Amino acid sequence: MSKNRVLVSALAASLACSAISVQAAEGWRNPKLSPDERARLLDAELTPDERIGLLHGPMALSFPGGPPIPEGSVGGAGFIPGVPRLGIPALKETDASLGITNPGEVRPGDVATALPASLALAASFNPKLAYEGGAMIGREAAVRGFNVLLAGGVNLARDPRNGRNFEYLGEDPLLAGLLGGESIRGIQDQNIISTVKHFSLNGQETGRFYANSVIGEAAHRESDLLAFQIAIEKGQPGSVMCAYNLVNGAYSCGNDHLLNGVLKGDWGYKGWVMSDWGAVHATDYALKGLDQQSGEQLDQQVWFGELLKQASVAGTVPAARLSDMSRRILRSMFVAGLFDGKPSKPQIDAAAHAAIAKSVADEGIVLLANKGVLPLAAGKKVVVIGNQADAGVLSGAGSSQVTGIGGNARVVPIGGDGPMAMWGRQVFHASSPLKALRAAMPGATITFADGRYPAEAAAAAKAADIAIVFATQWMAEAVDAYDLSLPQGQDELIRAVTAANPNNIVVLQTGGPVLMPWLDQAGAVVSAWYSGQKGGEAIADVLTGKTNPSGRLPVTFPASLDQYPRRDLPGWGLPKKQQFDVVYDEGADVGYRRFAALGMKPLFPFGHGLSYTTFAYDKLRVKGGDTLTVSFQVTNTGKLAGKDAPQVYLTGAGGQKLQRLIGFDKVDLKPGESRTVTVKADPRLLANFDEAGRQWRVAGGTYQVTVGASAESVTLSGQAKVSKQTLKP
Ligand code: BGC
């Protein structure tokens, strides 16, 4: 080697060396290293006490007579102190999927954009809106100094009485998983960590701390777990929140199979598992896969504090596992960019945020029935009846309750006592349908009747050209609906009004399906769910035709409660603290899948929703192979512009008869316009889960598909050959 070349290579070697030593000196601070590596290096610098400190924390709320909210927290759902010595920021956690909450007015006077219920978002069948809504609440979290959003509820609506169905995304794993994933992606794009919750089978609120959800492994994988799996793949949430209930005999937050086996094992999930608030019952949950105890005042003990430290000293929880727990948390914090520079406070454009809430409501409202009464004709005498429609629109209650911008228009206490009494309030967002209708129909005379007396309301309806009756079903965390009737005798009111005037419209504001014993008499029925802080305007726009309705049911509306596998609510009336089973006999056949399997006729099927225009589908092409690729053309054949949500269902798989949504799209078409929609099925939807082999198994053979406007309507059908294959779990 020449002298020069020796010098050059010595210089190169020394440069490389110094680069390595700079990297080593920078250690976890080096943004070029992977989040895994940074988390590993940072964890190695923690003292045992610092590490334990990351693994548990309180609510950031103050109770009468109790200590103030923890120093350094932002008042809200939760707080995990950071490690200032190392620049590890605290985790500042807020609820939830519908907007930034302000529990107990912990931040006096703070209001935030209130999105419609997640069920309304699901009814939009529009992943883009899910992303925008997520990004919106992410920005509103960031501006308040939060860095964790307890959002991403994807539990399937297995029971229409579930008090939290409004926080979730309906009964189908693909719809819930995709929309949940998009909403999480929107949140996390704002450098906010999101959860996905409540893992898993948190299917009812009655006895939620004692309910043992019983289900077969394959059925679980093909339904609720698939919704979580898709949401996690799409959204990559930094954290998964385990649930209150037990699953197959073990509490969700101490469920080795679910957390270590499925989530971290089969799915390779790299984030952390946080508990729900009050869902931890032992320190050894650390061995079962739980990484962090949240809201610890609600548990009997701070299991993941001093007790976990003792377990670690005694060696019952290995040091390596403690490091794994903190590394998972730190990794998600690195991924979210919580270390790299000061968190930026975004500019909030309140009007733009309100417009997002309005778009979700616009696309989430479902026109269920219409005998030509809608859209409303101008210049009429209209009476609006009942349920605070003069003031605002109803919202669902519990930890997801948002105080919308403009404040609460009205709060109607429900009554009751105990710790959950604070949630017993019907909150109406300040978006009055009456005012919005008056603004939208300047030529009409619009009066209001409170609807207390059905006969009086009927008289008012008779004297008007058009009667619009508002009905509400208030739903809340911690309580289920007893049945599917409209509470407080509202069916009687609707019966009287619809009998008095055939030009009537029933506007439902519910947290899920309800029965409609008056349906034959109804001129039109609109399902507005909980429509958020712009709900009044959105309802008025749908009624007057400014918005062409495009919502589709994300849940089946049954003809009777007898069409569900559990006639009586499991656990109802049992003494407190008594465990009971909720046996999910229907397995993976949740909602419309079971209606199809048993040939039952619902009141309104999953996917149903009318428009003021008409759509036609043709030119179906079904391509097989490893999966199904289905394309077809949608044409707006009516006279008005409108959005459609065509749906593709698998109806036969290698000889097996079934029904599964395998794809959908939301298309916006002018009159006469056509669009080709192409849907490529997630092969897991063509498969069955093979429990013994711990894999998905596509049987192979001829697979049938239909294209239609709901789970019941078949406009096109076709088939193709799919190859036999197995897929990783
Ligand atoms: C709920 C969670 C929520 C948590 C924090 C619990 O009661 O189940 O969904 O995120 O409280 O408020």
Side-chain angles (χ1 to χ4, degrees):
M1 206 186 275
S2 77
K3 203 174 160 194
N4 268 355
R5 280 182 67 188
V6 171
L7 271 177
V8 168
S9 58
L11 190 63
S14 105
L15 278 177
C17 240
S18 64
I20 288 165
S21 60
V22 167
Q23 268 196 11
E26 277 189 332
W28 62 266
R29 289 187 180 80
N30 180 358
K32 292 206 180 97
L33 297 180
S34 70
D36 302 75
E37 188 56 9
R38 295 180 79 183
R40 193 186 65 77
L41 292 168
L42 180 52
D43 171 70
E45 290 193 31
L46 293 172
T47 66
D49 282 339
E50 287 168 346
R51 184 172 296 109
I52 291 279
L54 292 176
L55 306 182
H56 69 101
M59 290 186 281
L61 294 176
S62 154
F63 295 94
I69 66 166
E71 213 186 305
S73 68
V74 180
F79 178 65
I80 306 287
V83 182
R85 176 181 79 84
L86 293 166
I88 301 177
L91 293 175
K92 300 171 187 176
E93 303 168 337
T94 177
D95 284 304
S97 302
L98 282 63
I100 309 305
T101 64
N102 188 3
E105 277 283 300
V106 59
R107 304 182 308 280
D110 191 22
V111 292
T113 306
L115 283 170
S118 296
L119 200 57
L121 171 66
S124 78
F125 273 64
N126 189 343
K128 209 171 138 263
L129 283 180
Y131 179 89
E132 282 174 15
M136 185 278 278
I137 59 174
R139 286 189 292 272
E140 294 205 358
V143 82
R144 289 167 173 80
F146 291 112
N147 51 22
V148 179
L149 243 168
L150 309 170
V154 299
N155 296 89
L156 296 188
R158 283 181 175 265
D159 194 308
R161 295 162 292 192
N162 180 1
R164 294 187 89 173
N165 278 342
F166 76 91
E167 285 189 62
Y168 303 141
L169 294 154
E171 67 190 24
D172 179 73
L174 176 67
L175 183 67
L178 275 185
L179 267 61
E182 281 303 299
S183 148
I184 291 165
R185 213 166 59 76
I187 293 167
Q188 296 203 150
D189 277 356
Q190 317 310 313
N191 296 108
I192 300 289
I193 294 171
S194 179
T195 58
V196 66
K197 68 187 188 183
H198 309 87
F199 192 69
S200 168
L201 285 174
N202 194 169
Q204 62 170 51
E205 291 298 291
T206 302
R208 63 179 176 167
F209 297 105
Y210 309 103
N212 175 35
S213 300
V214 179
I215 197 167
E217 179 66 12
H220 197 186
R221 299 274 189 152
E222 292 167 15
S223 56
D224 287 65
L225 286 180
L226 186 55
F228 277 99
Q229 199 175 4
I230 294 172
I232 290 171
E233 287 164 1
K234 274 262 153 219
Q236 305 278 318
S239 184
V240 171
M241 187 191 293
C242 49
Y244 285 133
N245 51 287
L246 303 91
V247 177
N248 293 330
Y251 269 108
S252 297
C253 293
N255 198 309
D256 181 59
H257 172 66
L258 270 184
L259 304 181
N260 286 330
V262 177
L263 178 70
K264 295 177 178 176
D266 291 347
W267 300 351
Y269 179 67
K270 289 186 162 184
W272 90 94
V273 179
M274 70 164 74
S275 72
D276 200 344
W277 276 227
V280 189
H281 308 284
T283 297
D284 75 354
Y285 282 18
L287 297 173
K288 311 282 171 62
L290 179 66
D291 300 305
Q292 191 180 61
Q293 180 183 10
S294 322
E296 63 198 11
Q297 300 99 315
L298 295 183
D299 287 311
Q300 269 177 351
Q301 302 257 17
V302 180
W303 302 103
F304 277 25
E306 197 48 40
L307 291 171
L308 185 57
K309 194 173 155 192
Q310 285 166 17
S312 141
V313 171
T316 47
V317 176
R321 170 62 186 134
L322 287 190
S323 277
D324 174 49
M325 294 158 83
S326 61
R327 276 204 315 266
R328 286 173 171 275
I329 297 165
L330 294 170
R331 181 188 186 277
S332 291
M333 293 171 75
F334 280 119
V335 173
L338 302 193
F339 287 90
D340 306 318
K342 273 214 162 317
S344 58
K345 291 228 162 149
Q347 289 289 320
I348 298 296
D349 179 342
H353 283 192
I356 293 171
K358 169 82 169 30
S359 307
V360 177
D362 285 343
E363 291 202 30
I365 293 174
V366 184
L367 176 59
L368 288 172
N370 186 13
K371 293 179 186 156
V373 179
L374 291 177
L376 290 173
K380 296 267 183 174
K381 205 173 154 208
V382 179
V383 59
V384 170
I385 300 165
N387 279 297
Q388 326 287 341
D390 56 327
V393 288
L394 185 62
S395 56
S399 60
S400 68
Q401 174 85 64
V402 178
T403 310
I405 293 185
N408 297 330
R410 220 163 258 172
V411 176
V412 183
I414 292 291
D417 52 17
M420 295 305 172
M422 64 170 183
W423 285 342
R425 310 144 73 229
Q426 299 189 11
V427 172
F428 289 81
H429 290 312
S431 176
S432 153
L434 176 68
K435 275 192 205 143
L437 277 166
R438 283 183 175 150
M441 300 175 74
T445 312
I446 306 183
T447 52
F448 180 72
D450 61 32
R452 281 179 306 138
Y453 293 96
E456 184 185 33
K462 202 167 197 153
D465 298 318
I466 293 166
I468 307 174
V469 55
F470 281 77
T472 54
Q473 178 209 40
W474 175 79
M475 297 283 257
E477 178 175 344
V479 276
D480 292 321
Y482 183 72
D483 61 26
L484 298 183
S485 61
L486 284 166
Q488 290 164 320
Q490 293 174 76
D491 284 320
E492 194 195 332
L493 169 70
I494 300 174
R495 228 185 239 118
V497 169
T498 54
N501 188 340
N503 281 328
N504 66 71
I505 297 133
V506 183
V507 179
L508 298 171
Q509 299 183 76
T510 70
V514 287
L515 303 178
M516 302 178 204
W518 32 260
L519 182 61
D520 285 352
Q521 292 172 184
V525 185
V526 170
S527 201
W529 317 108
Y530 304 142
S531 50
Q533 76 173 49
K534 284 284 166 191
E537 287 87 340
I539 292 169
D541 285 351
V542 163
L543 299 187
T544 55
K546 187 170 172 206
T547 300
N548 191 348
S550 68
R552 304 289 183 258
L553 288 182
V555 280
T556 306
F557 273 48
S560 116
L561 203 44
D562 296 326
Q563 292 181 317
Y564 285 90
R566 290 162 294 283
R567 180 64 183 73
D568 298 320
L569 261 173
W572 197 88
L574 280 188
K576 270 210 153 71
K577 302 197 176 177
Q578 186 173 320
Q579 272 184 20
F580 59 93
D581 289 346
V582 186
V583 183
Y584 289 114
D585 275 332
E586 70 275 26
D589 279 344
V590 183
Y592 70 88
R593 293 178 172 191
R594 186 168 178 275
F595 277 78
L598 299 181
M600 290 185 301
K601 182 118 186 85
L603 192 61
F604 294 106
F606 175 88
H608 168 77
L610 303 174
S611 166
Y612 298 145
T613 187
T614 47
F615 299 97
Y617 309 146
D618 64 357
K619 300 195 179 154
L620 177 69
R621 286 186 51 217
V622 186
K623 200 175 134 268
D626 284 345
T627 186
L628 288 170
T629 310
V630 181
S631 61
F632 55 97
Q633 185 176 267
V634 189
T635 305
N636 181 344
T637 49
K639 294 192 176 68
L640 295 168
K643 292 179 182 161
D644 188 27
Q647 300 145 44
V648 184
Y649 293 92
L650 178 72
T651 53
Q656 182 192 358
K657 239 179 111 351
L658 39 64
Q659 187 172 28
R660 289 179 185 173
L661 180 72
I662 57 168
F664 59 88
D665 203 354
K666 189 88 188 238
V667 289
D668 189 359
L669 297 172
K670 296 192 192 69
E673 197 184 353
S674 296
R675 179 89 37 86
T676 299
V677 168
T678 302
V679 153
K680 191 169 177 197
D682 181 325
R684 287 169 296 196
L685 288 166
L686 311 182
N688 289 323
F689 193 79
D690 162 15
E691 188 179 343
R694 213 159 176 151
Q695 62 192 344
W696 294 96
R697 194 178 280 282
V698 180
T702 303
Y703 283 57
Q704 281 86 26
V705 297
T706 62
V707 175
S710 78
E712 262 192 356
S713 93
V714 178
T715 310
L716 306 171
S717 42
Q719 58 183 44
K721 283 215 154 42
V722 174
S723 33
K724 184 174 168 178
Q725 63 198 286
T726 55
L727 306 160
K728 66 178 179 56

